[in-house]
Amino acid sequence: MSEHTTDLRETVRRRYAAAAVKVAEGATSCCGPQPVEADESFGSTLYAADQRDALPAEAVAASLGCGNPTAVAELREGERVLDVGSGGGIDVLLSARRVGPTGKAYGLDMTEEMLALALANAAKAGATNIEFLKGTIEAIPLPANTIDVVISNCVINLSTDKPAVFTETFRVLKPGGRIGVSDVVADDALTPDQRAERGDYVGCIAGALSFTEYRAGLRAAGFTDVEITPTHAVADGMHSALVRATKPQAVTSPSAAGQPESACCGVNACCTPAETPQDPALTVTEAKTASGCGCQG
């Protein structure tokens, strides 16, 4: 990881740690220009009043997002859902209600202060089908093929390695699994410099992908049925958007494209005694786990 990338991640971590502390002290927070000032583009006002009223006040106050991914994720009873970049836990709590006692909602965040706030909110809500994990969205600490739905609310734009986020999301999803994401997306005509002129990185603007870049990134990771629907403007040429995509039932690792039939799942001579990893730095087991496909024997 480059020094610039490390510095950006630490800047993001400090910003959201401070936001969590402010919420714990009784302030409100959002992803917009000031960490304790909400507006119509970001924050809890993007949720229906009945959703807000059913949750702890601190979970609502800590809403940092640019949308409501639970409204489009079509969560079903018994499903396992993962919120990447879960913050104060508002989307995890809403998801836990939708999947019910036979399902489970995971929240993943890299910030200790946000995790502490989320755990407190879960306790106040009396939720028992929730688990919060510490980690980054570029290296999700869950096994492959274990999650039905991945959601995220204005967090992927903050990542300094978005291809890794898409690859990891694809890996943890079960075949047939899906994503329902709210994120900031830029018009294709805007260059990275022009995006940066409209807002900073931690304000969810400068790091946003364009519509074309977002689609290409998801498809490169293996997703199909990619849909990106803008909902409202957050800056000139920048939009909050709902992103949907599906992991195919029959998964072929993108890295295996153009390779002989004996190569799959990150290994050569797939499912034979002669298996060897295509990446010499990995073991056969590591290669198969990283690929997220079904050939694990």
Side-chain angles (χ1 to χ4, degrees):
M1 184 181 296
S2 70
E3 184 176 346
H4 176 67
T5 296
T6 301
D7 289 346
L8 270 179
R9 177 178 286 180
E10 178 58 18
T11 299
V12 170
R13 189 202 65 77
R14 287 199 304 266
R15 170 67 171 271
Y16 290 94
V21 171
K22 287 180 181 294
V23 170
E25 292 174 348
T28 58
S29 181
C30 79
C31 190
Q34 299 297 325
V36 293
E37 294 182 4
D39 61 32
E40 62 184 10
S41 298
F42 296 95
S44 61
T45 58
L46 298 171
Y47 294 84
D50 60 337
Q51 290 182 312
R52 299 195 303 268
D53 293 345
L55 298 175
E58 293 84 357
V60 176
S63 173
L64 311 179
C66 56
N68 181 357
T70 62
V72 298
E74 299 177 355
L75 301 178
R76 307 179 188 108
E77 188 85 15
E79 289 189 318
R80 295 161 68 91
V81 56
L82 167 66
D83 181 11
V84 293
S86 50
I90 185 170
D91 293 314
V92 179
L93 291 171
L94 291 172
S95 297
R97 286 171 171 266
R98 294 199 177 197
V99 300
T102 61
K104 187 164 185 177
Y106 293 92
L108 172 66
D109 206 281
M110 69 175 181
T111 308
E112 291 277 6
E113 293 83 353
M114 277 297 182
L115 288 169
L117 181 62
L119 286 167
N121 287 333
K124 289 175 183 176
T128 58
N129 60 337
I130 284 176
E131 182 176 348
F132 288 101
L133 308 168
K134 183 180 180 182
T136 67
I137 64 176
E138 298 87 0
I140 300 172
L142 286 172
N145 307 316
T146 55
I147 299 296
D148 295 294
V149 188
V150 172
I151 64 173
S152 183
N153 198 346
C154 210
V155 172
I156 294 175
N157 69 80
L158 294 169
S159 173
T160 55
D161 188 354
K162 295 173 181 65
V165 177
F166 296 147
T167 299
E168 277 291 274
T169 301
F170 189 88
R171 180 185 66 83
V172 300
L173 281 171
K174 299 176 182 177
R178 61 199 187 278
I179 65 171
V181 168
S182 293
D183 210 0
V184 173
V185 184
D187 284 344
D188 289 334
L190 293 183
T191 66
D193 286 344
Q194 290 171 325
R195 299 170 210 175
E197 291 170 358
R198 286 154 171 77
D200 62 10
Y201 206 98
V202 296
C204 305
I205 301 296
L209 297 173
S210 71
F211 284 91
T212 295
E213 290 166 346
Y214 219 117
R215 292 187 190 95
L218 288 170
R219 288 168 179 157
F223 285 100
T224 59
D225 304 320
V226 177
E227 298 179 7
I228 304 178
T229 306
T231 57
H232 60 274
V234 298
D236 183 23
M238 311 287 294
H239 313 270
S240 174
L242 299 175
V243 182
R244 300 177 178 89
T246 303
K247 179 174 179 175
Q249 285 284 356
V251 176
T252 300
S253 172
S255 64
Q259 295 176 347
E261 292 184 0
S262 61
C264 71
C265 295
V267 299
N268 298 308
C270 188
C271 295
T272 76
E275 287 179 327
T276 58
Q278 292 165 353
D279 183 348
L282 301 176
T283 67
V284 168
T285 299
E286 289 170 339
K288 289 183 175 183
T289 299
S291 74
C293 79
C295 181
Q296 300 292 327

